[in-house]
């Protein structure tokens, strides 16, 4: 991997440029490129932690939404991938705590896209300030993408991500079979990623 004089790889420097374009120029394609670069890596890292494909897809989307929402705060003291992976791990840890899931040991080492280890710091006290901060954060979906979804998928995304309903609660709310809700939410996530990648013309 080629490293420049600042200690960052060429890919990391390209990420910095994309971030500048996204923040300063509101360049939608820059957001899409960042998502395309790291979506699979983030998804498989989360899947390793929780071992549920549907929830891993949800949490992947939440991680990108939270990262993009706070992109102006990103400091170029470390790589975007390290920052993104920490957002994803913290969000997943919060999910694990809420669901009280039995998962892999959280002391296991995880690596970001550049091969750097990502620290997962968990305190036993559920009332620690960091935990309260994480819980207080609302994950706002990237509305510029959500608004381009067909109406029936927008409603599902609204219920799942904004209202934070479970699959079962959504099925009850919409009076649809649980399997249908899961299938349509899966499709809505695929469409969101297609839109974010600039492929909305096919929708």
């Amino acid at each position: 991997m080629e490293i420049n004089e600042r200690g960052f790889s060429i890919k990391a420097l390209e990420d910095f440029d994309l971030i500048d374009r996204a923040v300063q120029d509101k360049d939608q394609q820059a957001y899409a490129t960042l998502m395309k670069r790291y979506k699979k890596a983030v998804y498989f890292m989360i899947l390793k932690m929780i071992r549920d494909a549907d929830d891993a897809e949800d949490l992947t989307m939440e991680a990108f939404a939270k990262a993009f929402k706070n992109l102006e705060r990103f400091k170029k003291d470390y790589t975007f991938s390290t920052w993104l992976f920490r957002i994803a791990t913290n969000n997943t840890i919060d999910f694990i705590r809420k669901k009280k899931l039995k998962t892999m040991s959280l002391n296991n080492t995880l690596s970001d896209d550049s091969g750097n280890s990502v620290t997962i710091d968990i305190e036993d006290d559920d009332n620690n300030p960091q935990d309260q901060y994480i819980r207080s954060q609302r994950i706002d979906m990237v509305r510029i993408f959500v608004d381009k979804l067909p109406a029936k998928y927008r409603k599902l995304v609204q219920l799942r991500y904004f209202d934070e309903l479970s699959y079962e609660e959504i099925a009850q709310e919409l009076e649809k079979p649980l399997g249908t809700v899961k299938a349509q939410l899966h499709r809505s996530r695929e469409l969101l990623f297609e839109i974010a990648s600039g492929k909305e013309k096919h929708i």
Side-chain angles (χ1 to χ4, degrees):
M1 181 183 297
E2 188 175 350
I3 305 293
N4 80 324
E5 65 273 10
R6 291 175 58 196
F8 293 114
S9 68
I10 297 300
K11 184 175 183 180
L13 294 177
E14 290 173 350
D15 288 345
F16 291 162
D17 180 62
L18 289 167
I19 291 167
D20 288 341
R21 284 163 48 195
V23 172
Q24 297 171 13
D25 304 329
K26 309 301 181 185
D27 186 340
Q28 183 177 341
Q29 190 57 46
Y31 284 107
T33 301
L34 288 168
M35 182 179 287
K36 185 176 181 181
R37 282 187 167 200
Y38 296 107
K39 176 195 167 190
K40 286 185 179 179
V42 170
Y43 169 76
F44 283 113
M45 181 198 72
I46 294 172
L47 184 63
K48 182 179 178 182
M49 293 176 70
I50 63 173
R51 300 171 184 171
D52 183 282
D54 288 332
D55 286 334
E57 288 183 351
D58 286 346
L59 291 166
T60 298
M61 188 168 297
E62 289 182 4
F64 277 102
K66 187 170 186 179
F68 289 164
K69 179 184 176 184
N70 293 285
L71 205 54
E72 291 182 358
R73 301 179 186 177
F74 174 75
K75 305 295 183 184
K76 297 176 182 176
D77 299 328
Y78 33 74
T79 66
F80 172 73
S81 61
T82 297
W83 183 70
L84 174 64
F85 274 63
R86 283 176 178 161
I87 288 173
T89 53
N90 284 338
N91 194 52
T92 303
I93 288 164
D94 188 43
F95 173 84
I96 290 169
R97 284 173 170 163
K98 288 178 180 178
K99 300 294 184 181
K100 295 182 172 58
L101 297 179
K102 294 181 179 179
T103 65
M104 64 167 236
S105 169
L106 292 174
N107 293 322
N108 287 4
T109 300
L110 297 172
S111 299
D112 66 15
D113 190 64
S114 300
N116 301 313
S117 62
V118 178
T119 301
I120 304 177
D121 183 19
I122 299 187
E123 300 177 26
D124 292 333
D125 181 4
D126 284 340
N127 294 316
N128 71 76
Q130 182 186 30
D131 185 60
Q132 291 176 357
Y133 173 78
I134 293 171
R135 288 178 185 274
S136 71
Q137 295 302 299
R138 300 289 296 178
I139 304 300
D140 294 329
M141 299 308 298
V142 185
R143 290 188 181 273
I144 192 171
F145 299 148
V146 173
D147 288 345
K148 293 182 180 180
L149 285 173
K152 69 175 181 179
Y153 294 122
R154 284 202 304 272
K155 179 64 174 177
L156 284 167
V157 169
Q158 171 71 40
L159 293 173
R160 178 63 175 167
Y161 297 105
F162 295 119
D163 299 341
E164 297 186 336
L165 298 187
S166 67
Y167 292 114
E168 292 78 8
E169 289 170 333
I170 294 172
Q172 190 173 37
E173 173 77 16
L174 299 180
E175 297 182 347
K176 290 184 177 183
L178 181 60
T180 299
V181 167
K182 286 187 175 182
Q184 290 185 347
L185 271 168
H186 179 76
R187 180 55 182 155
S188 72
R189 288 189 293 263
E190 289 180 338
L191 290 175
L192 279 171
F193 282 122
E194 287 178 14
I195 291 169
S197 300
K199 300 176 182 177
E200 64 266 29
K201 61 180 177 294
H202 300 305
I203 297 173

